[in-house]
Amino acid sequence: MPDWRRVKDRLFTAATVALALLAVAPLFHILATVVVRGGSVILRGGVSFFTDPPAYPGSGELGGVGPALLGTLWLGLVTSLIGVPLALLTAIYIVEYREGRLARVARVFTSSLLEVPTVLIGMLVFLVVVVPMGRYSLAAGSIALAIVMLPYTVSYVERALEGVPRTYREAGYSIGMTRAQVVFQVVMGIASRGVAAGILIGVAKVLSETAPLLFTIGSARGSYPTGPQSLLEPGDALPLLIFQFAQTPYSNWQDLAWGAALLLTLIILAIFTLLRLLFREVKL
Amino acid sequence: MEPVEVKVSDLNVWIGGSHILKGVSMKAPPGAVTAVMGPSGSGKSTLIRVINRLIDLIPGARVEGKVLLGSLDALRADPYEVRRRTGMVFQEPNPFPHMTIYDNVAIGPRIHGLARGEELDRLVEWALKMAHLWDEVKDRLRDYPHQLSGGQKQRLSLARALALKPRVLLLDEPTANIDPVSTVKIERSIMEYAKTTMATVIIVTHTPQQAARISDHILFIYQGRVVEYGPTREVVLHPRHDLTRKFLGGEV
């Protein structure tokens, strides 16, 4: 007579494994496809893939994603310049000045921002920045991305600050530190890894965002943003290029989209590797 | 620097509706160690947090009464000024984990602009020697405190407080979680600091043995009220109050 309990146990285990595989299969499929198709494009293009502008559609030549790559790097930098100080000060206010009513309002608002579709944020910036300026610009894109970044970075930094035990704050006050000295010399110092993680997570998040850019940066395929003055000009970005080129019928542009997809994945991967390294050793 | 007597009169403290200290009056003379003892929850920690105004950080705390540090009216004065003149050591060793051993001691003098360069080096050395930690860390002042033992961390916390040469030193059960060797060193430091600098030292302890070993005066608090106050010898050998006798005998 078969042992039914054992049979049922085996069946259940097999079902669990199968479903788990099913869940991670899409991830592997995406990664594998991006690596294989994007990898061959980047190898074919060589250095000029990273530097050149896209070739004419349907020309049979490849060109590159130079302007979009540079645009993405500029967006990352300017978004951080706007978003990081804002997010840090917001998180500090929420955690260290929690007795104020405004701090509670700030907390509710930033966490609600997480639920606003990013395309709406793009539309808002379109109305408030692009229309008055009369043109698309990298600056407008950075403002939109900074708003997207805010709730992520705020919530990570908030948790990092809250994780600092009260006794260190008391120690700071006990030697006569002011509140600002306690926040910046003690709490931020102890929470520095968590703060850095919050910043990196925010940056990684916005670098791959497409929706906030749709209405804000235009798609200046051929122009290189070389200096700060280019911030007021339209620009391009990797996710936007992927979104638009993938939908065209031109095979050389589709190839560029695959290459850009791999490039973007590698950038994000690099940021998360940095995060891992940062978190390997935490000692309190 | 002149000696400072701590004088508390008719102190009442409420935290979130519960009456923690009920009309406490006490004195702590300079050049001596005053032990505040009592069972846990009796309000000892609250008392010393009123003296250096850390009570301000506790939400919902209300304080009435008078606290004098010499001529300084501690409850009316700027809290940062009060804390600058008082040092504190906490129950949990809490040197700043992101600062080196040296910086942990130097931070106080630095933020108040009291010393720098070689003068600061000498001050750091003095504080670490006073805390009986110098010999163990003099070759690794640039290391971080996570490599120290719990007892060493506590002595580093003590050195951080001493570096400001506070006229009043407050300690909140500083040896409750500390190994016996470090406990002896900390007790010796406290007594030496009081005698050699004429500082006023107030230590909260829950063990009558520690109070008897190191203090000159004992204040016994029970449920927020002062039960007995007097010279250590008298309180330990001839307690006037029945509750004191029971506490000393380990019955309360």
Side-chain angles (χ1 to χ4, degrees):
Chain A
M1 198 177 124
D3 184 347
W4 283 111
R5 292 203 308 166
R6 186 157 300 180
V7 172
K8 272 198 273 187
D9 181 53
R10 290 265 164 83
L11 277 175
F12 182 75
T13 307
T16 312
V17 171
L19 287 172
L21 285 177
L22 199 64
V24 294
L27 176 69
F28 278 104
H29 186 247
I30 291 169
L31 278 180
T33 317
V34 167
V35 169
V36 170
R37 302 194 65 158
S40 69
V41 171
I42 292 179
L43 287 177
R44 180 150 53 95
V47 177
S48 62
F49 175 82
F50 299 98
T51 56
D52 285 6
Y56 281 110
S59 66
E61 303 202 0
L62 189 64
V65 297
L69 175 59
L70 207 55
T72 284
L73 296 180
W74 269 109
L75 284 172
L77 178 71
V78 178
T79 302
S80 305
L81 288 179
I82 303 170
V84 169
L86 208 60
L88 288 188
L89 292 175
T90 308
I92 287 171
Y93 186 69
I94 290 174
V95 176
E96 302 296 329
Y97 295 75
R98 68 178 77 214
E99 66 271 27
R101 187 167 303 166
L102 199 57
R104 277 195 297 262
V105 174
R107 168 174 272 162
V108 172
F109 265 65
T110 46
S111 54
S112 311
L113 207 50
L114 211 55
E115 277 123 52
V116 175
T118 52
V119 69
L120 285 187
I121 293 169
M123 282 169 68
L124 169 84
V125 173
F126 177 78
L127 285 175
V128 177
V129 181
V130 176
V131 172
M133 273 179 67
R135 71 197 313 183
Y136 293 116
S137 65
L138 284 174
S142 299
I143 293 171
L145 290 181
I147 298 174
V148 175
M149 178 189 205
L150 197 65
Y152 290 93
T153 302
V154 166
S155 79
Y156 272 92
V157 173
E158 218 182 290
R159 251 178 287 170
L161 299 182
E162 271 168 358
V164 175
R166 202 177 75 133
T167 183
Y168 295 116
R169 291 186 174 83
E170 284 197 316
Y173 284 114
S174 79
I175 53 171
M177 281 186 171
T178 62
R179 176 127 87 168
Q181 284 171 326
V182 169
V183 168
F184 288 101
Q185 295 188 34
V186 176
V187 179
M188 291 281 273
I190 294 174
S192 59
R193 285 165 197 273
V195 171
I199 292 171
L200 286 178
I201 285 167
V203 171
K205 170 75 191 160
V206 298
L207 283 186
S208 52
E209 273 289 329
T210 316
L213 302 179
L214 286 174
F215 306 98
T216 51
I217 66 169
S219 310
R221 288 283 114 81
S223 69
Y224 290 88
T226 46
Q229 78 283 354
S230 340
L231 290 176
L232 301 177
E233 311 273 335
D236 200 6
L238 291 174
L240 197 59
L241 179 140
I242 297 167
F243 172 73
Q244 288 167 341
F245 279 17
Q247 299 181 73
T248 63
Y250 313 112
S251 67
N252 62 336
W253 277 18
Q254 291 170 3
D255 284 348
L256 282 178
W258 281 113
L262 179 58
L263 184 54
L264 189 58
T265 309
L266 290 175
I267 292 174
I268 307 292
L269 205 66
I271 294 178
F272 277 98
T273 308
L274 198 62
L275 261 172
R276 280 283 155 83
L277 290 177
L278 212 60
F279 271 103
R280 208 161 46 182
E281 271 181 273
V282 184
K283 282 173 188 152
L284 210 61
Chain B
M1 278 183 290
E2 63 190 75
V4 164
E5 184 188 51
V6 175
K7 201 172 161 197
V8 175
S9 336
D10 199 24
L11 184 69
N12 283 282
V13 177
W14 295 263
I15 296 176
S18 53
H19 201 171
I20 306 291
L21 291 177
K22 301 161 186 162
V24 170
S25 298
M26 65 162 295
K27 269 189 209 169
V33 177
T34 302
V36 180
M37 73 180 192
S40 50
S42 55
K44 311 179 298 274
S45 298
T46 306
L47 175 61
I48 58 170
R49 277 176 169 72
V50 171
I51 295 171
N52 71 351
R53 295 284 297 275
L54 276 188
I55 188 86
D56 293 18
L57 304 180
I58 299 172
R62 191 159 64 84
V63 180
E64 275 173 18
K66 201 169 183 75
V67 176
L68 287 174
L69 308 180
S71 57
L72 183 74
D73 186 344
L75 296 181
R76 306 253 164 344
D78 174 17
Y80 299 106
E81 187 54 38
V82 174
R83 291 173 198 146
R84 200 185 136 156
R85 297 185 188 194
T86 56
M88 180 149 170
V89 178
F90 301 80
Q91 186 171 348
E92 287 304 317
N94 57 5
F96 299 128
H98 62 300
M99 292 182 195
T100 62
I101 292 171
Y102 181 94
D103 288 341
N104 260 288
V105 185
I107 178 84
R110 265 190 196 137
I111 59 170
H112 296 299
L114 298 181
R116 56 184 184 181
E118 280 177 30
E119 201 190 342
L120 184 58
D121 291 348
R122 280 196 297 277
L123 186 54
V124 168
E125 183 177 337
W126 173 84
L128 285 168
K129 279 181 173 160
M130 199 79 214
H132 291 283
L133 185 60
W134 175 253
D135 291 336
E136 293 155 64
V137 301
K138 62 172 186 260
D139 299 321
R140 43 180 180 146
L141 293 174
R142 301 290 159 198
D143 288 355
Y144 287 85
H146 65 81
Q147 291 156 335
L148 301 177
S149 74
Q152 289 173 322
K153 280 183 187 165
Q154 189 64 307
R155 280 178 279 151
L156 181 56
S157 312
L158 175 61
R160 175 179 60 199
L162 293 178
L164 283 170
K165 301 193 173 171
R167 297 287 68 218
V168 178
L169 179 64
L170 308 167
L171 305 104
D172 188 4
E173 302 199 24
T175 60
N177 306 313
I178 301 302
D179 62 275
V181 176
S182 283
T183 298
V184 170
K185 290 182 174 175
I186 289 169
E187 290 179 350
R188 208 184 296 157
S189 298
I190 295 167
M191 290 187 282
E192 285 166 5
Y193 185 67
K195 304 294 183 248
T196 58
T197 70
M198 282 308 278
T200 309
V201 176
I202 303 177
I203 178 171
V204 166
T205 175
H206 63 286
T207 69
Q209 292 78 8
Q210 185 170 52
R213 273 200 303 275
I214 65 171
S215 70
D216 302 285
H217 304 272
I218 287 182
L219 178 78
F220 175 50
I221 306 190
Y222 188 76
Q223 293 181 345
R225 285 201 171 83
V226 175
V227 175
E228 192 153 346
Y229 173 73
T232 299
R233 224 184 131 70
E234 266 178 45
V235 174
V236 172
L237 296 180
H238 312 288
R240 276 171 293 159
H241 205 288
D242 203 35
L243 262 173
T244 319
R245 203 169 302 126
K246 282 185 176 163
F247 183 77
L248 292 171
E251 293 170 52
V252 179

